[in-house]
Amino acid sequence: MNRHAGMPPARDPRDPRDPRNPRDPRQVQGERAGDAAEATTYGRGEARRGAPDAAYEPRRAGRPLVRRILADPDVLSPRLRRRRAFALVGLTYAAPGAAQIVAGNKRLGRLGLRVWFLGLALVGVAVVLALVKRNWLLGFATSTWVLWGVAALCVLLAVVWLIAFVDTARLARVRGLPGSTRRGVVALTVLGMILTAVPLGWAASSLYAGGSALRAVFGAGPTRPPDQGRYNILLLGGDSGTGRIGTRPDTIMLASLDAQTGQTVTFGFARDTENINFRPGSTMARLMPQGWNCGDECLLNGLYMWATERKDQFPADVADPGALATKEAVEALSGLDIQYYALVDLQGFQTMIDAVGGIDVINKVRVPVGGGSSPIYYYIEPGRQHLDGTHALWYARSREGATNYERMARQKCVLQAASKQVDPQTVLLRFRELAAAGQDMLHTDIPQGDLGALADLVVKSRSLPMRSVNFTPPLINPWDYDPAVIRAAVAQAVAAPQTDSSTGSATGSTTGSGGRSTAPRSTGPGSPVPSTSVRSGASGAGGAGGGAADSSKAEASRAAQAGEADICTVP
């Protein structure tokens, strides 16, 4: 008897049909693909049985099972194909290129992910800088090249995301999906393209417009260090509206900011200040060695137009002679060195007010809209008023029945409301409109290199009390004053600790025209330098304008003493 009878034959290692031999992975994969296709023919239940099984799938380095399933929908049942299509679209929503990494063009996937992670890294850096080094962040945010670079990144990300969505629809093989699934995948793909491309395109457009506006408004000149720990910036509210010749700064303010804390003192100068004697060695001292002294014909706000009309007499590198002349005049009056100036054109200011959605002021007197050579159409009534650009401009410029001091108070309220009530959210949402308005409204010599530091100080100052000193009656009479009184009040205000609120002062300096000051008041004549009046009998104080002029000045003085708080306030 053969003892080997009934035993299986010996294993032939070359026979691929012998189940005891190791099987070729390619053969296994082909068999299972065929099984899946065959099972699909006979219905859903068989398809589940024919789907790949992880227990028998050979493992190959760098190609996990899930990735192979996503890459090859032919081995899947209809149900899994639907899930695969939605999964690929979801991956593209999460990050551009994620679907391509697992199921498509790896090169496109890596490009999309790199751009996406670069954007996330920039956002992370911005958040960290906002917490630990805000002036650096503001410096980057006010740089033309940085804004243009971020705009280019937004455009690149939008394009890559659009391509990723289109390619994801191809990878999902929507033509082979059931009708309802196909419509859902296409709808989600189109929605994703809109949700990514539109915001990124808007952001790129706004950033580019902002960078262009910064380049147009702020130059690339040298930065200036603070003077005795303070930045002194001259703020001019000019009015070059229809029917007016040239620009006349009706609002003249000097803002002095502490270079460390941002605490701010503002000094207001009356537009009709007379008898100005310039510092020795200044440009205006060379052009006017005897000062701006000719009575009512030589007012502080008239310097701007005088210098603009004589640009050929100024150094060739002076871009705005009017601003230089006014700056040197305020330096002579205040005793402070002024680093920069900013001229806000009230005509262009209307566009900016509309861009931010209007401003709120608490009006104390009826202000006519119209008057002069035209009829009065209606009044801006007392009470809290929300003003759009047109009404804000009328509120700042209306002359009918008002003194210069009342107009100064209203213009100051409008400027303060605009600076106080514009929040970061509004700036972000309407950045493009504000950038366009800024090019028409703002003229300045502040360089981009100092914008970050100054913007940081402005942000700090918004949470601190602000003191305001106005050199108007009763502190001084702009046509008859002692310059030493102004310089003493300025020195006292910038040296004193600012522990007061906007309605009071630790040093007793004025807050509004009607406030009191511990600084000595003017008792002497206007100017120690002899007058060069062009009118007969005009003296240093410009007071020889006749009885009518004296009466007008006395009336203006009484009106000024009523105080800014009796004209308007900013909520």
Side-chain angles (χ1 to χ4, degrees), residues 274-275 292-296 479-480 525-527 529-545 550 553:
E274 304 176 13
N275 311 307
W292 185 240
N293 297 303
C294 56
D296 293 341
W479 57 89
D480 184 11
S527 172
V529 179
S531 170
T532 57
S533 174
V534 296
R535 298 184 307 166
S536 174
S539 59
D550 292 339
K553 291 176 178 178

Side-chain angles (χ1 to χ4, degrees), residues 93-290:
Y93 268 92
Q100 283 69 33
I101 287 291
V102 299
N105 188 327
K106 303 293 189 297
R107 183 176 300 177
L108 175 61
R110 285 191 291 268
L111 174 61
L113 290 178
R114 285 170 183 170
V115 176
W116 171 242
F117 285 124
L118 176 59
L120 291 179
L122 290 179
V123 172
V125 171
V127 172
V128 173
L129 289 179
L131 296 175
V132 301
K133 206 70 175 176
R134 186 173 56 189
N135 60 329
W136 284 19
L137 175 62
L138 293 173
F140 291 135
T142 53
S143 169
T144 294
W145 293 109
V146 171
L147 293 182
W148 284 353
V150 177
L153 178 62
C154 290
V155 171
L156 178 60
L157 183 57
V159 172
V160 169
W161 223 326
L162 283 174
I163 295 175
F165 270 113
V166 173
D167 189 61
T168 298
R170 179 187 65 83
L171 294 175
R173 300 190 184 180
V174 292
R175 291 185 178 181
L177 297 174
S180 59
T181 303
R182 180 169 61 251
R183 288 190 294 270
V185 171
V186 171
L188 285 176
T189 301
V190 173
L191 180 62
M193 295 169 69
I194 295 174
L195 292 179
T196 54
V198 171
L200 287 170
W202 174 84
S205 176
S206 298
L207 290 169
Y208 182 80
S212 301
L214 288 173
R215 189 177 189 183
V217 175
F218 300 96
T223 60
R224 298 183 177 92
D227 176 48
Q228 299 180 2
R230 303 191 72 87
Y231 282 104
N232 303 310
I233 302 174
L234 180 63
L235 305 176
L236 304 174
D239 194 352
S240 59
T242 304
R244 305 196 69 175
I245 302 175
T247 298
R248 291 178 287 180
D250 287 341
T251 300
I252 303 172
M253 295 173 56
L254 177 61
S256 181
L257 294 82
D258 188 288
Q260 297 297 325
T261 66
Q263 285 188 320
T264 304
V265 184
T266 63
F267 304 99
F269 295 87
R271 61 186 291 274
D272 54 354
T273 302
E274 304 176 13
N275 311 307
I276 302 168
N277 299 286
F278 301 97
R279 286 175 165 181
S282 64
T283 300
M284 291 305 297
R286 174 178 61 82
L287 297 176
M288 294 182 178
Q290 295 183 336

Side-chain angles (χ1 to χ4, degrees), residues 18 30 52 106 120 166 180 321 353 368 402 413 509 557:
D18 192 334
K106 303 293 189 297
L120 291 179
V166 173
S180 59
I353 295 296
C413 282
S509 23
S557 176

Side-chain angles (χ1 to χ4, degrees), residues 32 136 160 205 335 357 384 392 414 433 436 476:
R32 288 187 176 152
W136 284 19
V160 169
S205 176
R384 180 163 181 157
V414 169
E433 293 88 344
I476 69 164

Side-chain angles (χ1 to χ4, degrees), residues 21 48 63 85 92 107 109 112 121 135 149 162 167 259 268 271 299 309 320 325 374 431 471 477 488 506 552 557:
N21 288 334
R48 291 197 191 98
R63 194 167 174 83
T92 307
R107 183 176 300 177
N135 60 329
L162 283 174
D167 189 61
R271 61 186 291 274
L299 306 180
E309 293 173 348
D320 191 341
S374 62
F431 188 73
F471 297 110
N477 290 322
S552 175
S557 176

